[in-house]
């Protein structure tokens, strides 16, 4: 699959349909998320970001634990053309303020 933009690649993820995109190990079990479900969730969140006024080229910070919803949020940000800035939860308040201002 040849893509020239990240948004084009994201739009093509849905073509993988029911294939597994994410696997979460929970205690003794596991939870799988398909590409179809992942792209649907990201598309819904991308719509919400657009409604909030996020425009292509804008930077959005992503401060969250390492979990499947992080992937959905990052994909949604990229889908609207935003620059996704992952923020480290281990940073102090001053450290986080410095990163955001920089």
């Amino acid at each position: 699959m040849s893509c020239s933009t990240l948004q084009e690649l994201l739009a093509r993820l849905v073509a993988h349909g029911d294939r597994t995109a994410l696997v979460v190990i929970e205690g003794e079990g596991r939870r799988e998320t398909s590409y179809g479900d992942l792209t649907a969730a990201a598309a819904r969140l991308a719509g919400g970001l657009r409604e909030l006024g996020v425009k292509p080229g804008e930077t959005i910070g992503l401060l969250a634990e390492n979990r499947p919803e992080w992937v959905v949020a990052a994909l949604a940000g990229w889908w609207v053309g935003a620059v996704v800035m992952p923020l480290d939860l281990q940073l102090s308040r001053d450290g986080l303020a410095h990163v955001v201002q920089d």
Side-chain angles (χ1 to χ4, degrees), residues 18-72:
D18 291 336
R19 291 177 58 196
T20 301
L22 299 172
V23 177
V24 177
I25 306 301
E26 298 175 313
E28 297 296 317
R30 60 188 265 154
R31 181 171 42 108
E32 296 183 359
T33 302
S34 70
Y35 280 98
D37 290 342
L38 180 64
T39 54
R44 283 191 304 273
L45 183 53
L49 292 173
R50 284 188 194 97
E51 286 180 18
L52 289 172
V54 176
K55 298 196 178 1
E58 284 189 286
T59 301
I60 57 173
L62 183 52
L63 180 65
E65 296 175 352
N66 186 10
R67 50 186 302 123
E69 293 82 3
W70 191 101
V71 176
V72 172

